[in-house]
């Protein structure tokens, strides 16, 4: 008998922990009248990470300042940041508004304040793991889309010298990763996110505010991934969101229902179709009202399709950073 090596490929389709069970080998007799099964105990649990290639792609684009290749807008920077670096001698071309007159008088020469881009700002991704994030779109849940976008945003923030942190919550706080920019921070975020699941419970935003108030002391950008299916559900959580926005820059991201768009674009052939279209239009219009309601309360928001979530989130982060809103 000659030894043989048999290779086969198995690809896990879902994020989380995947269990490879025992290996079953079936051996036939020469005439194939008898078959025997051998079982080898090789059970092993492996980690299935979310959208690692997408994260690496955005990282490489961010490092080479080519994020616009992925659909990220290039925003012109207005003014300069107010993070002071040093006082230096004036040279032709320096902004005369930065002249330090006291230092100029002491030095008997024109001196200007030199500023540098603000760095090490804290960026937290807040992921709602409640039942509203279990809605499926194209084989992935809203929670999966939020996790992928959080990975990319955290990675881009670290490349931009900001501190990335993470909070996942449901009825209670699930995980809290303190914002930092240490070399192992991205790995910690990745290890935290790959196994996140929902228990189909309602999220408690009041408890979320309590955690943020007690554990995040410096003003930070908080990117909240959640979903609202009705104006009543938004109004229920709005008091807690207003409290959070009082101390931090809160960006609320929620989702368009792309299935409703399919219904609206379909043809109407009966009275029932007209009724269904009317209801769909009501829900679509209500989502737009939610954006206005959040804006009225001083809370920026993004209403996005699940597929456009990552690009829209990175765009908004760069816009807020460029405008020095953080």
């Amino acid at each position: 008998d000659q030894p043989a090596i048999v290779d086969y490929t198995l690809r896990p389709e879902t994020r989380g922990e995947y269990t490879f069970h025992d290996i079953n080998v079936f051996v036939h007799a020469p005439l194939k009248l008898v078959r025997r099964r051998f079982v080898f105990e090789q059970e092993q649990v492996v980690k299935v990470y979310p959208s690692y290639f997408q994260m690496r792609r955005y990282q490489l684009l961010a490092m080479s300042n080519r994020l616009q290749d992925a659909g990220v807008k290039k925003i012109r920077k207005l003014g300069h940041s107010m993070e002071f670096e040093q006082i230096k001698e004036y040279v032709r071309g320096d902004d005369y508004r930065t002249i330090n007159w006291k230092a100029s008088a002491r030095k008997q020469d024109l001196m200007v304040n030199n500023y540098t881009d603000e760095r090490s700002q804290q960026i937290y991704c807040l992921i709602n793991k409640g039942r509203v994030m279990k809605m499926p779109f194209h084989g992935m849940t809203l929670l999966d889309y939020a996790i992928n976008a959080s990975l990319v945003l955290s990675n881009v923030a670290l490349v931009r010298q900001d501190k990335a942190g993470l909070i996942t919550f449901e009825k209670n706080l699930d995980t809290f990763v303190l914002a930092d920019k240490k070399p192992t921070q991205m790995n910690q975020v990745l290890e935290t996110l790959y196994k996140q699941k929902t228990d189909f419970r309602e999220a408690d935003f009041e408890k979320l505010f309590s955690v943020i108030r007690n554990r995040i002391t410096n003003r930070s950008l908080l990117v909240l991934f959640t979903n609202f299916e009705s104006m009543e559900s938004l109004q229920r959580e709005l008091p807690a969101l207003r409290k959070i926005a009082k101390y931090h820059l809160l960006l609320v991201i929620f989702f368009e229902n792309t299935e409703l768009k399919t219904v609206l674009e379909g043809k109407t052939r009966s009275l029932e179709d007209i009724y269904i279209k009317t209801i769909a239009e009501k829900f679509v219009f209500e989502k737009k009202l939610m954006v206005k309601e959040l804006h009225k309360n001083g809370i920026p928001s993004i209403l996005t399709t699940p597929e456009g979530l990552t690009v829209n989130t990175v765009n908004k982060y760069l816009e807020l950073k460029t405008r020095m809103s953080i």
Side-chain angles (χ1 to χ4, degrees), residues 88-96 110 112:
K88 68 181 186 69
E89 292 184 2
Y90 175 85
V91 295
R92 181 172 294 184
D94 284 340
D95 189 346
Y96 64 87
L110 282 179
V112 295

Side-chain angles (χ1 to χ4, degrees), residues 18 85-87 115 119 127 143 158 168 179 181 195-196 200 274 276 288 300 302:
Y18 185 87
E85 185 179 31
Q86 64 178 349
I87 298 175
Y115 297 91
R119 292 188 172 186
I127 303 178
L143 180 60
L158 290 171
T168 64
K181 59 175 183 178
K195 55 186 177 182
Q196 296 294 324
F200 301 98
I274 296 174
I276 292 173
K288 295 177 181 177
I302 299 176

Side-chain angles (χ1 to χ4, degrees), residues 256-269 273-288:
E256 294 179 14
N257 191 330
T258 53
E259 298 299 322
L260 293 179
K261 185 178 179 181
T262 304
V263 171
L264 291 174
E265 292 176 349
K267 295 182 179 180
T268 52
R269 295 185 176 86
D273 291 340
I274 296 174
Y275 174 76
I276 292 173
K277 262 196 174 184
T278 303
I279 297 299
E281 287 175 352
K282 173 184 176 295
F283 281 116
V284 171
F285 180 69
E286 199 168 27
K287 288 273 187 177
K288 295 177 181 177

Side-chain angles (χ1 to χ4, degrees), residues 38-94:
F38 294 90
V39 179
F40 299 92
E41 295 183 0
Q42 297 290 331
E43 184 171 311
Q44 184 179 0
V45 178
V46 297
K47 300 174 182 178
V48 182
Y49 293 106
S51 193
Y52 188 79
F53 291 111
Q54 183 188 41
M55 182 189 72
R56 293 292 295 172
R57 174 173 172 251
Y58 276 86
Q59 179 185 10
L60 292 171
L61 291 174
M63 291 175 67
S64 58
N65 290 318
R66 292 175 52 236
L67 278 172
Q68 59 268 23
D69 292 356
V72 175
K73 298 175 184 176
K74 191 172 184 178
I75 302 171
R76 183 171 64 90
K77 192 163 187 175
L78 303 176
H80 56 70
S81 71
M82 298 306 294
E83 185 173 335
F84 176 78
E85 185 179 31
Q86 64 178 349
I87 298 175
K88 68 181 186 69
E89 292 184 2
Y90 175 85
V91 295
R92 181 172 294 184
D94 284 340

Side-chain angles (χ1 to χ4, degrees), residues 121-136:
Q121 296 159 327
Q122 295 188 153
I123 316 296
Y124 278 91
C125 292
L126 281 51
I127 303 178
N128 179 359
K129 292 172 51 182
R131 64 175 183 81
V132 295
M133 297 294 282
K134 193 61 179 176
M135 189 179 295

